[in-house]
Amino acid sequence: MNAAGRLAAFGAGLVMAFAAAYGVAAAVAPGTAVTASQNPGADGPGGRAATTGQASPVSLPSAGPPGLSLARDGYVLSSVRAPIAPGDRGTLSFAIVDPDGEPLLDYATVHDKQLHLIVVRSDGQHFAHVHPVLDHTAGTWSTPWTWKAAGSYRVFADFQPARADSTKLTLTRTVEVAGDFAPSHPAATRTMDEIAGYTVELDGALSAGVSKQLTATVTRDGDPVTTLQPYLGAYGHLVALREGDLAYLHVHPEGVEPVAGRTGGPAVSFAATAPTAGRYLLYLDFKVDDIVHTATFVVDAARGNTDQAEPEPSRDAGHAGGH
Ligand SMILES: [Cu+2]
């Protein structure tokens, strides 16, 4: 396949991968920025690809993975109001501004909610996933808020306008929180986490441009936990962010949507497609006894689009006592 064909094929793969959030923009401008940065010379002769790479890498603001811009498809995430310093109790609020410049008031319900708000510090720490309330008069979303630590945070608003031609959008802003900032060390891969007495183990892999299944298994004192409660239309909710720029992956739960009141577990599966090779920060929310816990993982995505080999699962998470 020649370089142009390969680019087109890769673009098509991305459209598949990001159909929900990326479909319309990619169909209009097939993968402009992503294909340029995604086609390093190692992939083959680089004549046309190199020319593409010299062009302005981002010709449209709507190109690229979700979660990297405060605007897309004409929708804008307004500035975010929040407490200034850690420990200050207050409110976090913002608006989604529609293409006409008015606050967006009509949303589709996705994963049980009209808007999902993800907040995480730039080093991947202090993840929060909350559901603000929309004030239909003021047009603002708000939620009670207290920062736990200083630093530079990314706020992601994940929503879908109710208009029939709209797709899912993930808009993002940076919010600085005053005070001494002690960044964590760069994340090392890990596929096991312990939270509130629960052990959560992640199996599976991530691969660039290829949908992969990830399965989280929850145990307590070595026993499988089968009392997971439905949370956001599944027995768990997974957010994945690319280390380095915190690009946002839409991860879809697999399996039948749980019936309210029924419990599940110990395994919860998801299908995820990484936009590129590299390291990803994963946050799994699961609910037991009416409390939502968050397990965190760090996974490296392989170059799946050119190399179909299955990546080795990470081994440095200390599985000495594994099953
Ligand atoms: Cu949510």
Side-chain angles (χ1 to χ4, degrees):
M1 193 186 295
N2 66 22
R6 205 164 48 236
L7 284 172
F10 190 82
L14 280 176
V15 173
M16 299 275 289
F18 280 9
Y22 186 75
V24 170
V28 173
T32 45
V34 179
T35 41
S37 62
Q38 269 301 292
N39 195 46
D43 202 358
R48 290 182 62 91
T51 307
T52 307
Q54 286 163 4
S56 174
V58 180
S59 55
L60 285 173
S62 55
L68 292 175
S69 174
L70 60 81
R72 179 172 278 198
D73 297 350
Y75 294 91
V76 174
L77 172 59
S78 76
S79 58
V80 176
R81 289 169 164 270
I84 301 290
D88 292 351
R89 287 164 155 273
T91 300
L92 187 153
S93 65
F94 57 89
I96 305 296
V97 181
D98 73 13
D100 296 325
E102 301 293 332
L104 181 65
L105 299 177
D106 297 319
Y107 297 80
T109 296
V110 180
H111 298 312
D112 272 358
K113 301 288 178 182
Q114 293 197 326
L115 186 142
H116 301 263
L117 187 75
I118 306 294
V119 181
V120 67
R121 200 166 68 175
S122 57
D123 61 355
Q125 302 293 305
H126 303 295
F127 174 89
H129 175 181
V130 297
H131 302 106
V133 174
L134 176 63
D135 179 332
H136 282 262
T137 307
T140 53
W141 290 91
S142 61
T143 185
W145 198 257
T146 305
W147 301 105
K148 291 197 181 80
S152 181
Y153 286 77
R154 283 278 290 283
V155 171
F156 300 91
D158 188 353
F159 63 95
Q160 180 168 344
R163 283 174 49 157
D165 59 343
S166 295
T167 58
K168 275 186 70 166
L169 298 171
T170 306
L171 306 181
T172 186
R173 281 256 185 187
T174 301
V175 177
E176 312 296 345
V177 180
D180 291 335
F181 171 41
S184 70
H185 294 293
T189 57
R190 67 170 184 163
T191 55
M192 188 166 69
D193 194 15
E194 297 195 9
I195 176 81
Y198 296 98
T199 300
V200 188
E201 204 159 347
L202 190 71
D203 289 308
L206 279 176
S207 200
V210 181
S211 179
K212 291 283 185 179
Q213 181 172 300
L214 292 165
T215 300
T217 304
V218 184
T219 57
R220 188 176 182 99
D221 300 328
D223 297 324
V225 172
T226 56
T227 53
L228 299 182
Q229 295 169 297
Y231 179 60
L232 304 174
Y235 287 119
H237 188 269
L238 185 67
V239 167
L241 304 173
R242 182 167 62 185
E243 188 185 62
D245 65 2
L246 301 182
Y248 188 99
L249 276 71
H250 288 287
V251 183
H252 303 281
E254 293 199 322
V256 182
E257 191 164 318
V259 177
R262 194 174 290 181
T263 59
V268 195
S269 292
F270 302 89
T273 304
T276 61
R279 189 155 289 184
Y280 290 81
L281 313 173
L282 276 59
Y283 303 86
L284 172 73
D285 293 328
F286 63 99
K287 188 175 178 182
V288 189
D289 295 336
D290 294 326
I291 299 173
V292 177
H293 304 286
T294 303
T296 63
F297 310 99
V298 182
V299 174
D300 286 338
R303 290 201 56 194
N305 203 46
T306 51
D307 176 6
Q308 294 300 323
E310 285 282 329
E312 289 288 306
S314 303
R315 289 185 193 146
D316 50 347
H319 281 219
H323 314 284

